Amino acid sequence: MSQSPSVNLPVPPDLVTALASTSRHAHVHEHWVPVDPRWWDSRLTEHGLPGGPLQTPAGRDGRPGITRGQLFALAEDTATGDTEAVLRLLWHVLAWGTGSGYRNQRARVGAVAALGSVEAATRLHGAGKLAATDPVAAYQSMKPRGDHRIRELGPAFFTKYLYFAGAGDAEHRAVIMDTVVATVLRDRYRWTTLSTLPQWRASTYRSYVELVDRWAREAAQRIGRRVSPDEVEVWLYRQ
């Protein structure tokens, strides 16, 4: 089997420089996104779905919002697979993922309602548990045979759920892959075969996870501290 071109991409010097001047907590846990809880609460009430209302204590400049750290805390409540806890995490992840916008979110909420709260939570919880040991298998479980296990919840968003299901574990390898990160990797760092359309195969996600892992290890060696895979992902997102 031939190696993905991503395997040979050198670690960017500016990644090393950036991570050398910050901590994981500041770089990752404090990553804040503004959201409008009123929109989400209205949609959940409309469909009679559990997991609301949205919790947005991390306000800045008078605006409500969500940090990664808050999502890690919510993920701790999903350990037993409780339907309400799992869907609470999902709504907060989706809100964080689009910020002050709502592109396709109405359809995603509707898809969960159509599938049923219990079934949707069961599928998410199973994939989240699998992500702790095998992120590629977890990815495949959410996108079997090219379909989405939960309609309207594609890779750009279900990888967010798989990531946050790790509850902030620095060793969690199921990192977020979305169009922002893919575009940066293709256009700036020359992963030329990578599509920016969010319908990647599990083999592409495997290559991405391996690349992020390697860059994290190499950055750690150069700056003399542990670097987690999600620090690399956050850095890519901000480019």
Side-chain angles (χ1 to χ4, degrees):
M1 180 182 296
S2 61
Q3 288 187 323
S4 164
S6 70
V7 173
N8 298 318
L9 293 178
V11 60
D14 44 349
L15 165 63
V16 178
T17 300
L19 296 186
S21 63
T22 189
S23 66
R24 178 174 182 254
H25 190 276
H27 187 61
V28 176
H29 286 246
E30 295 180 8
H31 180 194
W32 176 84
V33 173
V35 301
D36 180 0
R38 296 169 301 178
W39 186 91
W40 286 92
D41 295 345
S42 294
R43 300 293 79 71
L44 300 184
T45 300
E46 175 186 335
H47 289 283
L49 289 165
L54 225 63
Q55 301 169 17
T56 55
R60 296 185 184 178
D61 300 326
R63 296 180 297 168
I66 300 172
T67 64
R68 290 196 186 212
Q70 181 192 350
L71 295 173
F72 294 151
L74 290 176
E76 294 176 359
D77 296 332
T78 67
T80 64
D82 175 74
T83 295
E84 184 165 357
V86 170
L87 292 185
R88 181 179 299 113
L89 176 60
L90 176 64
W91 308 137
H92 285 76
V93 167
L94 293 180
W96 177 89
T98 50
S100 56
Y102 315 109
R103 183 178 180 184
N104 297 332
Q105 297 292 30
R106 186 183 294 273
R108 293 186 183 101
V109 173
V112 171
L115 179 60
S117 298
V118 174
E119 181 61 26
T122 298
R123 295 181 184 188
L124 286 166
H125 180 62
K129 288 183 64 177
L130 186 56
T133 56
D134 192 337
V136 178
Y139 184 100
Q140 187 67 65
S141 76
M142 290 299 293
K143 196 175 184 294
R145 301 176 302 280
D147 299 324
H148 296 158
R149 194 85 191 282
I150 298 177
R151 186 170 53 84
E152 307 295 341
L153 194 66
F157 280 91
F158 73 63
T159 60
K160 290 179 174 65
Y161 185 89
L162 297 180
Y163 164 68
F164 284 111
D169 181 358
E171 298 296 329
H172 195 65
R173 298 174 62 241
V175 285
I176 296 170
M177 186 175 190
D178 59 20
T179 55
V180 174
V181 169
T183 299
V184 169
L185 284 170
R186 187 194 66 180
D187 294 349
R188 182 172 298 189
Y189 297 106
R190 313 313 300 164
W191 183 351
T192 56
T193 61
L194 180 61
S195 171
T196 58
L197 298 176
Q199 295 299 330
W200 308 285
R201 295 180 179 179
S203 58
T204 301
Y205 187 64
R206 180 189 302 277
S207 296
Y208 171 65
V209 168
E210 290 172 351
L211 173 67
V212 169
D213 276 353
R214 179 171 60 79
W215 280 5
R217 291 194 305 271
E218 293 182 11
Q221 291 172 356
R222 298 186 190 187
I223 67 179
R225 73 161 177 85
R226 178 183 184 180
V227 173
S228 62
D230 59 356
E231 291 183 76
V232 176
E233 175 267 311
V234 174
W235 180 82
L236 285 167
Y237 175 81
R238 289 173 168 167
Q239 296 308 296

